Amino acid sequence: MERSANYFNVKTVRNMSNKSESLDDIKEKAEFKHQLVDQVNIPYRWATNYSNSTVGYKGEGVSVDVSRLSPEQKQRYDDGWKKNAFNQYASDIIPVNRYVGDHRHDLCRKMVYKENLPEASVVIIFHNEAWSVLWRTVYSILNTSPSHLLKDIFLVDDASTQGHLHQRLTKEVDKFSNVHLLRTGVRSGLIKARLLGFSHVNTTVAIFLDSHCECSDGWLEPLLDKIANCNRTVAVPLADEISAETFQFNPVNIEYMHMGGFDFDLNFNWRPVPQEELKRRTSIIDSVKSPTFLGCCFAISVDFFKHLGTYDPGYQIWGSENLELSFKTWMCGGSLEIIPCSHIGHMFRNTMPYSWGDNGMQILIKNSLRLAEVWMDDFKRFYHDRIFYNIKFDIGDITDRKKLRRSLKCHSFDWYLKNVYPGLFLPYNSQATGHIRNAATELCIESPVMGFMMYREVSLKPCSDYAFNQHWTLTEDNTIRRDEGCLGYQGPHSFVVMPCNPLASQIKWTYSQANLIISHQDNRCLGISTDRTTVNVKPCNGGSQQVWAWPRRTLK
Ligand code: UD2
Ligand code: MN
């Protein structure tokens, strides 16, 4: 599946390394203490025992000069990308116990935390993961966690098919007294896999990580301190970026903190922190209250997670569990906070390398429908509208989840929107919603991949009920909108999604009784380009190429 959402943490500060070295150069420089971990057993190390190799040290990346690889190396390089959707070849060159550096703000380093912080265990789930990447996650935890604060690490194998994750992994894990391996047996999806790991946790705090993370100095204490202050706070570290290409560790710049939001595709996105929240904070290292969070990498009190009914086990494979936990945390008496002193890197990738079975999109929709049905009250209609009322899927039984919500006496979703996420755009009083279908071609206007749509051109594509990025709302104030983006034109032949500035006339349109879409900028009509790949504006001529079907639906 392709990545959606402005899910990538775009605010990274370091530039990617421009280095371009062949494998031989790299080996030489590193004195090649660490051979390609694919071929040899990784050295067995205990906590606080970092590699002294220079490759990848302090989070540096490695860029592989593909033109200098031998055919055999090139094959491995290609296979690595194919299997993982990241550059496994580069990862295998970097020691599994590299030091990623201390990325904390000076003020964080001076922080003094409570003496009796609660103990934590970490759950790491995976369905196929490269050996070097998985172990780098584990080593980074061991190397950066004070031993009295970390009890267990549970690796949960969600029915991986790759050979190295079978016997070899069992053997490797056996060398550690505090690393345990659990296996789901059948493919369960990340939500149920996390629940299996969680059922073994017997510490005060549980921490969940993806299998391609790296924890950096001082990540653990501020999370535990937050929960020790109030066990209803879900503590979320910064999600630094580990480059999928070079494995460079790019820390978030906390001068430009973002918070988690969501759109009505029910995708997570990054949003600017509102002024009121910025004013509430007294220091740059104060936590940021966040309406939602990314999903991986968070710490939660075991009691509070149980109180909230953990995750909805009805969610399959991937998706929505982060919004579920976000909504219910806030609605049922807790809070969700991003902690600027805690740096954990996550490797963000463009596509998912693993299979979702026959119909991934349906799985995603079912998870979202469960979420909407249980937690969003009447606001679920905005999601239904987004998926073109394509809601006839069997989403399984949700009686227990509804009962849970009632028994916890949680606030309404309306309360959540008003109090926690007042900045969210709600498409009230729309004039039309859904596909904008061209009468001459039956093609629909599509925005670029969701989340990456700003300042990129729209196109014409065959209409599909699964293409959420073909959904547009004609708003009360005459914009053609998708969440934070509006359709506007830079020139008569260049149509991009741009910020919805209410004063910009190039984003204002009238949908006439004759089904023409008329620009407020120059009274001309939206039509299609001669090659039928995109839209344009021309003087209105009454031709079917300028006629558009768009359901005139008013959302209240
Ligand atoms: C993001 C989250 C992830 C989760 C997901 C929404 C971050 C950075 N990551 O996923 O934690 O909230 O959004 O559901 O916030 N996996 C399994 N079984 C499966 C599929 C995946 O164990 O059937 C594992 C996978 O190996 C990985 C983790 O689940 O460790 C998350 O999957 P991902 O990394 O492909 O997804 P990501 O980071 O886009
Ligand atoms: Mn991930």
Side-chain angles (χ1 to χ4, degrees):
M1 269 218 187
E2 204 163 349
R3 290 280 11 162
S4 69
N6 73 54
Y7 143 98
F8 294 87
N9 201 347
V10 285
K11 286 285 169 196
T12 52
V13 283
R14 285 199 298 171
N15 290 325
M16 299 284 286
S17 154
N18 281 328
K19 270 191 321 210
S20 181
E21 292 173 292
S22 75
L23 184 64
D24 291 339
D25 298 338
I26 293 163
K27 276 184 190 172
E28 209 174 83
K29 191 163 148 203
E31 295 163 1
F32 211 53
K33 288 198 180 83
H34 298 271
Q35 298 172 42
L36 296 184
V37 291
D38 240 16
Q39 296 162 352
V40 294
N41 265 337
I42 54 168
Y44 168 57
R45 298 274 162 103
W46 274 106
T48 63
N49 201 348
Y50 287 113
S51 154
N52 54 5
S53 157
T54 55
V55 180
Y57 187 66
K58 289 197 175 169
E60 268 295 289
V62 161
S63 87
V64 178
D65 181 351
V66 183
S67 68
R68 292 173 63 186
L69 298 181
S70 70
E72 185 271 334
Q73 288 169 328
K74 176 70 169 47
Q75 186 66 49
R76 283 161 52 83
Y77 173 88
D78 290 341
D79 287 350
W81 272 108
K82 205 159 133 213
K83 270 197 279 187
N84 307 287
F86 57 70
N87 190 352
Q88 184 190 343
Y89 193 90
S91 170
D92 287 353
I93 292 165
I94 299 170
V96 289
N97 55 345
R98 73 161 164 180
Y99 176 59
V100 288
D102 184 348
H103 300 292
R104 288 169 296 176
H105 191 278
D106 280 348
L107 292 172
C108 297
R109 285 196 210 99
K110 292 185 193 133
M111 281 294 291
V112 180
Y113 297 107
K114 286 181 201 52
E115 270 185 19
N116 293 321
L117 287 175
E119 204 180 20
S121 296
V122 181
V123 174
I124 300 169
I125 40 136
F126 56 92
H127 170 70
N128 289 332
E129 187 59 273
W131 184 264
S132 54
V133 171
L134 176 65
W135 280 101
R136 201 170 295 117
T137 307
V138 175
Y139 275 93
S140 77
I141 299 167
L142 293 173
N143 280 339
T144 52
S145 309
S147 53
H148 68 288
L149 296 180
L150 174 76
K151 184 157 186 274
D152 296 303
I153 298 177
F154 296 101
L155 300 181
V156 186
D157 166 26
D158 185 14
S160 296
T161 51
Q162 293 170 1
H164 62 268
L165 298 170
H166 291 236
Q167 269 184 6
R168 183 177 169 202
L169 184 61
T170 310
K171 263 170 78 192
E172 195 60 40
V173 165
D174 272 352
K175 297 178 187 167
F176 297 79
S177 59
N178 57 347
V179 182
H180 315 279
L181 180 59
L182 306 165
R183 300 198 195 257
T184 59
V186 289
R187 177 86 180 275
S188 307
L190 76 92
I191 294 99
K192 278 187 269 204
R194 274 193 192 147
L195 289 176
L196 173 63
F198 180 70
S199 69
H200 289 256
V201 170
N202 60 358
T203 44
T204 310
V205 172
I207 293 172
F208 294 93
L209 298 183
D210 282 3
S211 47
H212 32 255
C213 292
E214 286 177 79
C215 298
S216 80
D217 285 345
W219 69 282
L220 182 58
E221 293 89 336
L223 301 179
L224 298 180
D225 192 67
K226 200 75 200 172
I227 293 172
N229 274 333
C230 172
N231 83 338
R232 290 174 167 248
T233 305
V234 177
V236 181
L238 296 177
D240 296 330
E241 184 216 22
I242 300 170
S243 159
E245 175 82 43
T246 67
F247 283 77
Q248 177 160 316
F249 189 101
N250 294 306
V252 170
N253 181 349
I254 64 170
E255 310 253 347
Y256 305 100
M257 284 285 288
H258 280 58
M259 65 172 199
F262 70 94
D263 58 34
F264 278 105
D265 294 342
L266 296 185
N267 271 320
F268 169 88
N269 56 23
W270 290 107
R271 300 294 306 143
V273 181
Q275 281 306 317
E276 307 80 70
E277 178 62 4
L278 290 174
K279 279 190 210 134
R280 184 194 64 82
R281 297 163 77 223
T282 54
S283 152
I284 190 169
I285 64 165
D286 277 356
S287 61
V288 171
K289 291 192 196 292
S290 184
T292 71
F293 76 115
L294 194 55
C296 96
C297 320
F298 68 101
I300 189 167
S301 138
V302 166
D303 286 345
F304 186 53
F305 195 40
K306 285 182 183 159
H307 171 79
L308 291 176
T310 65
Y311 284 129
D312 179 348
Y315 288 8
Q316 297 168 39
I317 306 290
W318 184 103
S320 290
E321 92 296 341
N322 55 331
L323 297 188
E324 190 220 12
L325 187 56
S326 306
F327 294 169
K328 67 187 181 184
T329 293
W330 283 110
M331 289 163 68
C332 311
S335 75
L336 192 64
E337 303 190 20
I338 302 177
I339 318 292
C341 287
S342 178
H343 281 266
I344 300 185
H346 170 265
M347 204 216 18
F348 293 88
R349 50 187 166 187
N350 286 327
T351 56
M352 292 169 187
Y354 44 80
S355 143
W356 284 60
D358 287 342
N359 203 332
M361 214 47 201
Q362 277 189 24
I363 289 175
L364 207 55
I365 293 176
K366 282 186 198 173
N367 290 350
S368 300
L369 281 172
R370 276 182 88 90
L371 171 71
E373 210 44 59
V374 178
W375 294 102
M376 292 173 67
D377 306 326
D378 286 347
F379 292 89
K380 69 183 176 195
R381 67 191 182 281
F382 295 137
Y383 179 64
H384 293 173
D385 189 61
R386 273 311 167 82
I387 59 172
F388 312 106
Y389 299 89
N390 187 8
I391 54 178
K392 293 167 213 77
F393 303 107
D394 177 9
I395 61 167
D397 191 8
I398 49 168
T399 330
D400 279 357
R401 305 313 290 182
K402 289 197 153 179
K403 218 161 89 193
L404 168 81
R405 180 173 165 187
R406 273 197 305 277
S407 71
L408 293 177
K409 300 195 170 43
C410 305
H411 287 294
S412 67
F413 199 68
D414 185 53
W415 175 93
Y416 167 80
L417 290 181
K418 289 201 169 103
N419 292 279
V420 183
Y421 199 6
L424 180 66
F425 168 70
L426 298 166
Y428 285 133
N429 301 324
S430 55
Q431 305 178 57
T433 72
H435 291 111
I436 310 181
R437 190 186 298 259
N438 181 260
T441 58
E442 290 290 312
L443 297 173
C444 280
I445 304 179
E446 183 169 297
S447 78
V449 181
M450 288 172 261
F452 285 123
M453 59 184 184
M454 258 341 153
Y455 296 110
R456 290 179 56 196
E457 297 212 11
V458 299
S459 56
L460 279 175
K461 290 279 160 59
C463 306
S464 159
D465 281 355
Y466 289 108
F468 300 167
N469 47 342
Q470 291 178 356
H471 183 287
W472 300 90
T473 301
L474 182 63
T475 60
E476 196 176 8
D477 63 346
N478 290 96
T479 62
I480 299 179
R481 182 159 179 161
R482 284 187 45 73
D483 299 304
E484 299 308 318
C486 282
L487 179 71
Y489 75 100
Q490 295 181 317
H493 303 291
S494 172
F495 285 78
V496 295
V497 180
M498 49 175 69
C500 299
N501 173 359
L503 301 176
S505 64
Q506 75 260 48
I507 61 163
K508 299 280 184 168
W509 307 88
T510 294
Y511 185 41
S512 77
Q513 283 314 311
N515 294 352
L516 306 176
I517 297 177
I518 303 165
S519 164
H520 288 204
Q521 173 119 313
D522 51 17
N523 273 321
R524 293 194 297 172
C525 275
L526 191 74
I528 61 169
S529 61
T530 20
D531 65 1
R532 302 182 162 205
T533 59
T534 187
V535 292
N536 62 20
V537 282
K538 287 199 172 150
C540 303
N541 58 28
S544 63
Q545 297 194 336
Q546 291 183 346
V547 173
W548 301 89
W550 195 1
R552 292 180 194 272
R553 205 175 277 123
T554 307
L555 292 173
K556 290 279 181 208

